[in-house]
Amino acid sequence: MAINIITADQPLLVQAIIVYLYADPGLGKTSIGFTGDKAISFDFDKGSHRTGELRRGAVVQVQQWADVANLTANDLEPFNTIVIDTVGAMLESIKTHLMLNSTNKQKDGSLKLKAQGLANNIFKQYVNSLIASGKDVVFIAHASEDQSGDQVIYRPDLGGKNRNELYRIADIMGYLTTVTTGEGRNARVISFKPCPTHHAKNAGGLGGDTGEVWVPDLKTNPNFLADLIKQAKDHINTLTPDQLATMKALEELGNWEQSCTEVQHAGDLQQLTESLDKSHIYYQSMRQMMLQAAKNLGCTFDMNSSRWISPAEFIGINDAQRDDLQAFITERGLDTKTICEHFGIDALTQIEVAQIQSVKQEIDNLAKAGVQA
């Protein structure tokens, strides 16, 4: 039997896609999940009962990790869409499962670092098994609000490399929020176009140029998510593998750049490092973005432990040390303003305690050199 070879300039038929939807509280993301085609919801967040008459699909009320880990292909055969609600609660369920084994816990009851890595691996393996099932998979997450300078940024509330892993594998990712229309009414909208205020991804070409999809009344539009997924598949299936790969790579680069601007400490850098794919077409660019973020934070990479290290905490001189230094300056015929200008600081309290002796030596040198106050 001849092998059916699909060349690079031919479309590659996609039967199932990965959807990543995150939202502010109370906007009906669980209800949207039930509008998928023959949907089954894994209710990790224990909120399906709040959907009322909009609960149109089957539900697995997850009490423990085994409730879903032991499901077989035959169990899932009647369904076309698997909804994980929410993905953050799913990861917590895995961690709770691991804590049943006392060897995975530290003395304070928290998971050991090795067990946290195991939880991440179980999470990734299970996600891969869902994808391999050939069904559409919808990951739902709460939105977290982070501050980056003056900019408020919304992104899925999922920590570490798991968040970056879902960024990578998702075909479409959208942020569900509310906006005020020109008529003064509140309306729900899903934004699939990435921008400085939120992460997104749109290989499915949803929402046209704006990337915005307005959420209708789900009572009269019970197939909203199913239609959205079909539209995304239809678009993806018009693209050649090369076109699709280029589009995804560019979106991943954009989300990576945004993640690099949001890092706040060495832990964020560590998570980025662990999720950086060396085979990515933009690997070198992504690596340089991460290194620049590290430089901006003043973090260094320890080769022995393969971990990012935060800069030493700044400890400035106290009021008594400041008064002593002011007297020291006056005794040498100088004034505080001159000294601050010399060191490029606004106040003496910006001098580190560890540097006070070297600062005094520098002041002595200035006095001997005849610097005038």
Side-chain angles (χ1 to χ4, degrees):
M1 180 179 176
I3 300 175
N4 182 26
I5 298 176
I6 301 172
T7 60
D9 60 347
Q10 293 179 305
L12 185 63
L13 188 62
V14 173
Q15 300 289 352
I17 65 171
I18 310 299
V19 180
Y20 197 3
L21 181 66
Y22 65 104
D24 300 325
L27 293 188
K29 52 187 179 292
T30 297
S31 298
I32 290 175
F34 282 123
T35 63
D37 179 38
K38 295 181 181 178
I40 179 170
S41 176
F42 293 173
D43 184 15
F44 288 94
D45 226 26
K46 300 177 176 61
S48 291
H49 64 281
R50 291 192 291 270
T51 60
E53 62 182 315
L54 294 177
R55 185 178 72 78
R56 299 185 177 91
V59 177
V60 177
Q61 292 184 309
V62 183
Q63 304 300 326
Q64 56 186 353
W65 177 238
D67 292 341
V68 293
N70 294 334
L71 288 173
T72 66
N74 286 337
D75 294 326
L76 299 177
E77 199 278 331
F79 309 102
N80 292 337
T81 308
I82 299 173
V83 181
I84 305 298
D85 189 7
T86 61
V87 66
M90 172 181 162
L91 182 57
E92 290 304 312
S93 178
I94 295 171
K95 290 180 178 180
T96 300
H97 170 73
L98 292 177
M99 289 182 70
L100 296 176
N101 186 337
S102 60
T103 61
N104 289 328
K105 293 193 295 185
Q106 302 187 81
K107 291 182 179 180
D108 63 359
S110 61
L111 272 183
K112 291 180 179 178
L113 188 61
K114 183 178 180 180
Q116 291 182 25
L118 178 58
N120 291 335
N121 289 336
I122 293 174
F123 177 91
K124 184 176 180 178
Q125 290 167 3
Y126 193 73
V127 167
N128 288 337
S129 72
L130 293 179
I131 296 169
S133 71
K135 301 178 186 297
D136 295 316
V137 182
V138 179
F139 294 102
I140 292 177
H142 297 293
S144 69
E145 181 179 314
D146 298 315
Q147 194 80 27
S148 180
D150 296 330
Q151 181 71 65
V152 176
I153 300 165
Y154 299 92
R155 57 184 180 181
D157 187 16
L158 181 67
K161 59 184 179 182
N162 290 310
R163 178 174 61 203
N164 293 315
E165 177 68 16
L166 287 188
Y167 281 180
R168 185 185 66 80
I169 66 175
D171 295 290
I172 55 175
M173 175 170 67
Y175 169 52
L176 170 64
T177 188
T178 55
V179 296
T180 302
T181 66
E183 295 78 26
R185 294 183 289 108
N186 287 334
R188 292 179 295 173
V189 62
I190 306 175
S191 178
F192 291 100
K193 186 175 183 178
C195 72
T197 61
H198 60 263
H199 292 257
K201 198 172 181 182
N202 197 12
L206 300 173
D209 293 337
T210 66
E212 294 181 344
V213 174
W214 297 86
V215 180
D217 182 351
L218 299 182
K219 291 181 182 179
T220 54
N221 294 269
N223 300 316
F224 169 67
L225 183 57
D227 293 341
L228 208 62
I229 290 174
K230 183 180 184 303
Q231 182 182 338
K233 287 181 186 176
D234 289 344
H235 178 79
I236 291 171
N237 286 330
T238 65
L239 304 174
T240 67
D242 282 350
Q243 289 173 325
L244 186 58
T246 299
M247 179 186 298
K248 285 189 173 183
L250 285 170
E251 288 182 329
E252 287 160 5
L253 178 64
N255 277 319
W256 181 270
E257 182 177 14
Q258 192 166 336
S259 293
C260 287
T261 65
E262 296 167 13
V263 296
Q264 298 180 1
H265 48 72
D268 290 339
L269 285 170
Q270 191 65 33
Q271 292 165 1
L272 285 175
T273 302
E274 292 173 355
S275 60
L276 184 57
D277 182 3
K278 291 184 177 180
S279 66
H280 199 283
I281 187 173
Y282 293 116
Y283 166 73
Q284 289 297 339
S285 296
M286 296 165 85
R287 181 174 179 273
Q288 290 304 315
M289 290 175 187
M290 183 181 68
L291 292 178
Q292 184 60 50
K295 182 179 179 181
N296 295 341
L297 284 177
C299 293
T300 55
F301 191 75
D302 180 65
M303 298 297 293
N304 293 326
S305 62
S306 296
R307 300 196 70 80
W308 286 99
I309 307 298
S310 295
E313 182 181 359
F314 174 83
I315 302 177
I317 62 176
N318 57 33
D319 290 347
Q321 291 167 323
R322 177 203 59 199
D323 294 343
D324 175 72
L325 188 57
Q326 284 177 332
F328 184 86
I329 293 168
T330 301
E331 288 170 3
R332 280 144 186 83
L334 302 172
D335 66 13
T336 300
K337 180 180 179 183
T338 301
I339 296 304
C340 286
E341 288 176 350
H342 175 78
F343 288 107
I345 57 178
D346 297 321
L348 294 178
T349 49
Q350 292 178 346
I351 295 172
E352 286 191 79
V353 171
Q355 300 297 321
I356 193 166
Q357 292 306 317
S358 61
V359 167
K360 284 185 174 182
Q361 183 62 56
E362 181 72 11
I363 293 171
D364 255 338
N365 293 339
L366 291 173
K368 291 175 182 177
V371 172
Q372 298 296 314

